[in-house]
Amino acid sequence: MAKTTKLAKDGAGLGIEQKLWAAADKMRGAIDAAEYKHVALGLLFLKYISDRFVRKRESLEDSLVVREDRDEYIADNVFWVPENARWSYLRDNATSPQIGKMIDEAMIAIEHENPKLRGVLPKDYARPSLDKTMLGGLINIFSDLDLYSDKEQDVLGRVYEYFLKMFASAEGKLGGEFYTPRSIVKLLVDMIEPYKGRVYDPACGSGGMFVQTQKFVEEHSGRIGNISIFGQERNPTTWRLCNMNLAIRGIEADLGGTHADTFHNDLHKDLKADFILANPPFNISDWGLERIRNDARWQYGVPPEGNANYGWIEHMVYHLAPRGIIGLVLANGSMSSTTNGEGEIRQRLIEAGLIDCMVALPSQLFYSVTIPVCLWFIRRGKTARQNETLFIDARKLGYMATRTNRDFTEEDIASIAKTYHNWRGTESYNAYKDIPGFCKSADIKEIEKNGYVLTPGRYVGTEDTMEDDATFNDKMTKLTTELKSQMATGAELDAEIKKQLAKIGWKI
C-alpha cells in the first residue's frame, strides 16, 4: 500500500503560516502557551474582520452615505467594524502604553455592533500581567499580512488552523483538549460523509469537526446551506475560540449561546442529528453521574461513575436520528472493558445492531494522548450488513511526522475510508474482501464468541510475515508488541498471546 503523499499540512509547508508563527512565537517571552494562545488568536481574528471590512468599504461607491450603510456589509456577511476597532488605528498606536486597553475597547465595540459576536471575543488585553511591548510587537507582525485576499480567501483559515496545531503541540495535554489532529478529523468526516443534514459535536473544542465538514461539502460540490451545525463546549475560553474559528470561515452554527457541561446542561435536548462527530475527553473519572443517574439518555444501561466513556457513547446514541451515524474517538479500553457494567452496555449496543465499524489507530497520533486510541462508528437504521460489524486494524499505517507525533498520509485515509464504503456497499458492495491483518467483517455470533470485545486485532488476525526459522523470542516480541495495546488487563494479554502462539505451533 503506497504511503508517500503526506497530508497537506495545517499550513503550507514552509509558507506564510510557519513564518508568521516563528515571528509571533518570539514575542511570547514569559507567557505560557495556554495564555498566549488567546492573545495571538484574538488579534488574528480582529485583524481579519478589519481587513475584510476595509476591503468591502473600498469596493463600495465613493460616497459617505453608501459606505456608512451597514446593510451593505450585512448583505455580504461582513462584520461592521467601528473606527476605534480598525486595525489601522491599533497599528498606529502599537507602541502606546495603553495599547492593551485600546484592544479591549475594540473588542467591546465590535461585540456591541455585531450581536453574533456578543460574549465571544477576548477582552483582557489590559491586564497588568500582559506585556504591552509584546502586544505592540504582535500587532506589527500581523500588520504585514493581508488576511483577506481576493486571490486566496482562506489565508486566515490556514493561519488559524496552523496556530491551533502549534499551540496544541506546545501545550501538550492541555492543548490536545481543544485540538484534534487534522488527519483524524478528515478520516472521520470522509468515512461518515456528511453531505446533507444536521451535524452535531457535543464536545466541539475549537470546532475542527465543523471546519472539516465544510471542506468536505465544498470538495464534493455540495451546498453548505444543506448542512445545519450544532455544538456544545464546556470550557468558556475554548467555546469563544470555537465561535471565532467558525466566524472567520462564515460557518453558521448553534453552539447553545453559552459554554455548558454537556452531561449536566444539555443545550440541545431535542436534537436528533444525522451526523455526530466527536473527540470527547477520555476516561473522565469525576463527571457527576450521581446527579443524572436516572437520566433518559442511559437507554442501554447506567454508565459507571468512575469513567464517562460510555456516558459519551449513550449521550450520542440518544441524540442520533433514525438513520443517523456517529463517528467518535475513544480510548482503547472502551473496546474491551468489562468493569462497572461497561461490558453489559457494549453487549446491548452490539445486539441492537448499532456498532457499524471499529478502527484501531496507531499510537502517537494525538498531542494529548500517547496511548493508542480507536474510532467507533455507530449507525441507526442499518439496511445493509445489519448483523455485521467491520473491524479495521490501522495500527501499522502512518508515518512519524515529528520525533514524537505520528500522522496519516492521504493514501492511509483513503484506504481506510474506501474499505469502509466498499463494505457498506456505498461504492461497490462486491469490492469488499477481508484482508488478513487489516480488515474483517464479523457477525454477531462471532462477536459473541469473543466475549463482545470490539478490539479489531481479535478479528482481523495477523499477516503471515514471519520466516519459518524465526526464533521463539522473535515471535514473542512481535506478538506482545501487537497485542499489548489492545488488552485491557494483563490476564487478557496472557490469554491472547497463548491463543496466537497456538496458531503458529508454539506451546507454552
Side-chain angles (χ1 to χ4, degrees), residues 18 72 92 100 165-166 212 240 249 260 330 443 469 502:
Q18 288 184 331
E72 293 283 353
D92 293 344
K165 171 189 174 184
M166 297 305 291
Q212 188 60 42
R240 289 194 291 269
R249 292 173 167 87
L330 278 179
D443 60 22
D469 60 351

Side-chain angles (χ1 to χ4, degrees), residues 424-438:
R424 290 286 321 158
T426 310
E427 295 185 11
S428 173
Y429 194 86
N430 294 326
Y432 174 79
K433 292 181 180 178
D434 290 342
I435 302 174
F438 179 63

Side-chain angles (χ1 to χ4, degrees), residues 15-28 36 138 141-142 162-163 166:
I16 194 169
E17 295 91 333
Q18 288 184 331
K19 292 177 182 177
L20 191 60
W21 169 264
D25 197 40
K26 287 181 181 178
M27 304 302 301
R28 179 150 57 100
Y36 182 67
L138 272 179
I141 290 170
F142 294 162
Y162 186 78
F163 269 44
M166 297 305 291

Side-chain angles (χ1 to χ4, degrees), residues 186-308:
K186 180 170 171 54
L187 176 57
L188 284 168
V189 171
D190 283 5
M191 288 185 73
I192 75 169
E193 298 184 309
Y195 284 109
K196 182 179 181 180
R198 293 151 295 188
V199 179
Y200 174 50
D201 184 346
C204 63
S206 56
M209 300 292 183
F210 303 142
V211 172
Q212 188 60 42
T213 295
Q214 181 196 47
K215 291 179 180 177
F216 177 87
V217 172
E218 291 173 344
E219 288 169 0
H220 292 79
S221 302
R223 292 183 61 250
I224 297 301
N226 288 338
I227 292 290
S228 299
I229 290 175
F230 300 85
Q232 184 160 344
E233 171 57 42
R234 68 176 181 175
N235 183 294
T237 52
T238 307
W239 180 82
R240 289 194 291 269
L241 189 64
C242 182
N243 275 277
M244 290 189 289
N245 195 14
L246 300 183
I248 63 177
R249 292 173 167 87
I251 299 176
E252 294 285 341
D254 180 353
L255 301 184
T258 185
H259 61 93
D261 186 300
T262 301
F263 287 126
H264 299 281
N265 185 13
D266 187 354
L267 300 177
H268 303 289
K269 288 183 179 180
D270 299 323
L271 174 67
K272 296 299 180 182
D274 302 289
F275 306 96
I276 299 179
L277 289 154
N279 174 24
F282 302 153
N283 303 325
I284 300 176
S285 58
D286 184 15
W287 62 289
L289 173 67
E290 282 305 315
R291 287 178 282 154
I292 50 174
R293 179 173 290 277
N294 297 318
D295 199 279
R297 288 171 287 184
W298 317 142
Q299 297 176 342
Y300 298 90
V302 179
E305 184 175 3
N307 194 314

Side-chain angles (χ1 to χ4, degrees), residues 260-420:
D261 186 300
T262 301
F263 287 126
H264 299 281
N265 185 13
D266 187 354
L267 300 177
H268 303 289
K269 288 183 179 180
D270 299 323
L271 174 67
K272 296 299 180 182
D274 302 289
F275 306 96
I276 299 179
L277 289 154
N279 174 24
F282 302 153
N283 303 325
I284 300 176
S285 58
D286 184 15
W287 62 289
L289 173 67
E290 282 305 315
R291 287 178 282 154
I292 50 174
R293 179 173 290 277
N294 297 318
D295 199 279
R297 288 171 287 184
W298 317 142
Q299 297 176 342
Y300 298 90
V302 179
E305 184 175 3
N307 194 314
N309 288 346
Y310 276 79
W312 285 115
I313 293 174
E314 292 198 80
H315 170 86
M316 294 180 213
V317 171
Y318 179 81
H319 280 290
L320 194 60
R323 300 185 67 82
I325 181 171
I326 299 168
L328 76 149
V329 187
L330 278 179
N332 267 10
S334 63
M335 297 188 290
S336 58
S337 173
T338 57
T339 59
N340 300 314
E342 288 184 338
E344 288 83 357
I345 296 174
R346 187 172 59 251
Q347 178 177 338
R348 294 184 190 114
L349 290 167
I350 293 167
E351 291 176 341
L354 291 170
I355 309 303
D356 208 35
C357 177
M358 300 295 301
V359 181
L361 298 178
S363 60
Q364 296 177 279
L365 284 171
F366 291 78
Y367 296 105
S368 57
V369 182
T370 56
I371 61 171
V373 297
C374 60
L375 303 182
W376 288 61
F377 294 90
I378 300 171
R379 184 186 292 268
R380 278 198 193 279
K382 294 170 66 171
T383 55
R385 308 280 192 180
Q386 289 183 358
N387 297 311
E388 296 177 67
T389 296
L390 176 64
F391 294 93
I392 299 177
D393 190 344
R395 289 174 299 153
K396 294 180 182 178
L397 301 184
Y399 67 99
M400 293 305 294
T402 68
R403 185 177 58 84
T404 57
N405 285 109
R406 180 176 293 275
D407 203 355
F408 279 146
T409 64
E410 293 279 6
E411 288 85 356
D412 292 331
I413 293 172
S415 174
I416 298 169
K418 186 175 180 64
T419 298
Y420 176 61

